[in-house]
Structure formats: C-alpha cells, structure tokens
Amino acid sequence: MAHFLPKALVPSDTALSFKAISSDPVLTIFRQVLESFRFAWQALRSNLLRTTLSLLGVTIGIFAIIAVFTIVDSMQRSIKESLGSLGTNVVYIQKWPFVFADEYPWWKYFQRPDPTYNEYRLLSERLENAKAVVAMSGRGSVTMKNGNNSINARLSGVSFDYKEVSDVPIAQGRYFTPQEMEAARNVTLIGSEVAEKLFPNQSAIGQTIQIAGLKFSVIGVGEKKGAGFLEIGGNPDLRCIIPYNSFAKLFSSNRPSLTICVKGYESDAGLENLEGEIKGLLRARRSLRPTQEDSFAINRPEAVVGFISGIFSVLTFAGWIIGGFSMLVGGFGIANIMFVSVKERTNLIGIQKSLGAKNYVILLQFLFEAVLLAVVGGLVGILLVYLLSFMQLGSLDIILTPGNIALGTLVSIIIGTIFGIIPAALAARMNPVDAIRSK
C-alpha cells in the first residue's frame, strides 16, 4: 500500500513507516529511537501541566529513595572514618562490654575490676599474636591554659605504641620518644584547635601550657581534621595527648579507668587467636576458676558498626516503602498519560501500520515514550537530592554518589517499562483499518 500512496499525502509523523523498511537494521533501529524520542518530546510539550503533575509522583518517589540512600551512605562513610581513628584489627580490653540490647545488664558488670597497668605490662610482655599493646585513659573535659588564653579539651594519657593502633597525623613537631614515655616527662601533643586558641598567630612548638596546674611542653600539633558525624573519642582537633605515666601522676588521687588496646594481625583468625590468648593470660592473672565468667570484656569496634548498620537497614527499608508508594502514584500517572497518548494518535497508528510498520515498532515507540517520561521525573528527583547535598547537616557531609544516581535512573526505567507496557501493547495490537477510521 505504501508504494501507491503519494508521499505528499502521508503525514510527516509517519516518517517512521518509510524508515522501517530501510535495508540497514542499525539505521532502522537508530531512526526508530529518534522517532520515538520525538513523539515523547511532543507528548511532554503538548500538555506540560498535565505531564508535570503526572510525573510528580515519580519525582517524589525517586527523591525519597535516593535521599535516604545518600544520607545513609554519607553517615556510614563518616562513621567508618571515625572508627578508622580507633585502628583496624584492634580489640579493646575494658570493664564494660559492647552490648546493644533493649536492656543493658549493667548489674552484671558493675562489680568487675578495671584493667590495671600491671595487666597492660603482662600482656605487652607475654602476648605472641599482638603487633602492639597500648595502655590508654582519658578525661572528657580538662581546662588548658596559656597566659590569659584557655580552652576545654579532652585529655588522653597513652603508652608509646599508641601511634601503631590509632591514626596520629602530626602537622608540626614530632611524636613522643620511648624515653619521654618511660620517664613520665611533661610533654604533650595538642590538636589544631587547641593550638589556635592557646597560641594565636604563633607556633605552639616548644611553648608550654598548663594542664591541671602542671606545665607541659608542646612537642607536636596534630593535623586539622574536623569533627566527624559520630566522632569516637571526640573531636581530634580538641584533644591533648600526654604520656600515660604523666597522666597517672597528674590524676593519682582520682585516676579514670584504664583501657588496654591490642592490635592483632591482618586476619579474623589472627584476632580470634589473639582474643583466646588474652583470655588465658587475664583469667590466670585474676585467678578465675573454670566455672567463673570472665571479669573483663574484649570489645571490637566492628560491633559498633554492626549495630549502626542495623539501624541504617531500617532507614533504608523505610525509604523504599515511602518512595514506593510515591512511585506507584507516579506510575499510574504515566499509564494515564500513555493511554491518552494512544487515544490521541489512534489514526496515526493506523496509517503507520498500513504503511508496513511492524507491531514491535509501535510497541517500542510508545514504550520508549513511557520510559522517557519516567526518566525525566526521576532525573528531577535526583537533581533535588543533588541540591540537598549542598546543605550541611551538622558535621555530616552529604555526597551524592554515581551509584545512587545509577540506581535512581534504573528505578525510573523500570517504572516507565512496567506502567507503559500495557498502553504500548494496546497500541501495537490495533487493527489498522479500524484505527484509520477512528476520529
């Protein structure tokens, strides 16, 4: 039939019919995609308000899902960075265990003795599976002074191997020497904010500060890091580190509890062997009978990550539920647009099919239009999340990752395909004669 119709009588919108009989399959597909894109663009422009309102559900749904994913990813990244300051392959020997439950059985652990410095020395000398053993203690807020300048910061007392288990970046000066540690000399490493507050417009290296009435010489200033979203141990820029023996001397009358930190080798089996070795030495040291429970806790920082990951899983599930309902509404909106589009172009579909257009060509044409509409709505939602990333939620940096962008786009494509397939199939199965006669 196409060979007998004058080309001038064929509507321009049926150009796809002539393209479909191209001998080159690659060109045919390319032209069909371009034609489908043109139809979709015309549908967007023909009734902009209707299309915008229909796509609003997809936009809100993609925004809800990707926003939750982006915030959760940003929080996890910040927490992992904070836990990185505690070191990897590290266990902490403490009085209180990490227990994440509705009711914390504190009465079981209240009578436990705190780890002691002698136990630290025992583990340091006897452990075979440890790369480093550290004694550490701290106070949350201690006033530090230099003349008229003062600041409250966290004070930590540590043994020499502290730099082996925790990140201690130094911008100026140096780390402690073994002699300074053993002799309990009054030397200190201070955070960048402490240095800026106590020594404005001058170098802190070689200067002295007062801590609890005693003078300490500043030998190093830490790199400026800023507080993380969940900074374990407080803001590293507001911290002061001194030798553990100096700390014990400073607070001899009211010494805070001691934590023993042990770094193992790079494997879970190595950590398990290390924990078993620690248990054996400490149980023997504390004269515990085989039937008695441990009077100490061996904690891993990974337990905190596991607990927080469970909370994030709930948040992610909630994001899918909220976004799913919004996308369901948006999907019905897309289906409505496509049914209207099929109705408006019934006559044109008949002309295309009479000129030789295959059913799959009509199907793909309308299906591509539905997918494009959904992707446009999804991209608007992703754009809103990107704008959200410029906001500062406390100390949390929100970063939209390429993975979340790809996820949002993929979900949009799936929604467009699901809700566009029925109108597209309806258009593809039309009888060309009945379609041409329709008004």
Side-chain angles (χ1 to χ4, degrees), residues 93-96 113-116 135-139 154 157 244 247 254-260:
I93 303 165
Q94 298 168 305
K95 173 180 178 177
W96 303 92
D114 287 312
T116 65
M136 52 194 298
S137 190
R139 285 207 163 188
R154 178 174 179 80
Y244 178 80
F247 183 89
N254 185 22
R255 184 188 305 177
S257 61
L258 168 69
T259 295
I260 302 173

Side-chain angles (χ1 to χ4, degrees), residues 46-82:
S46 61
N47 197 326
L48 188 60
L49 180 60
R50 181 189 70 187
T51 304
T52 301
L53 292 176
S54 298
L55 296 183
L56 196 58
V58 175
T59 298
I60 294 174
I62 294 297
F63 171 78
I65 292 174
I66 302 305
V68 169
F69 275 38
T70 299
I71 292 175
V72 167
D73 289 347
S74 299
M75 292 170 68
Q76 287 180 324
R77 183 181 59 257
S78 179
I79 290 170
K80 286 180 179 179
E81 290 175 354
S82 298

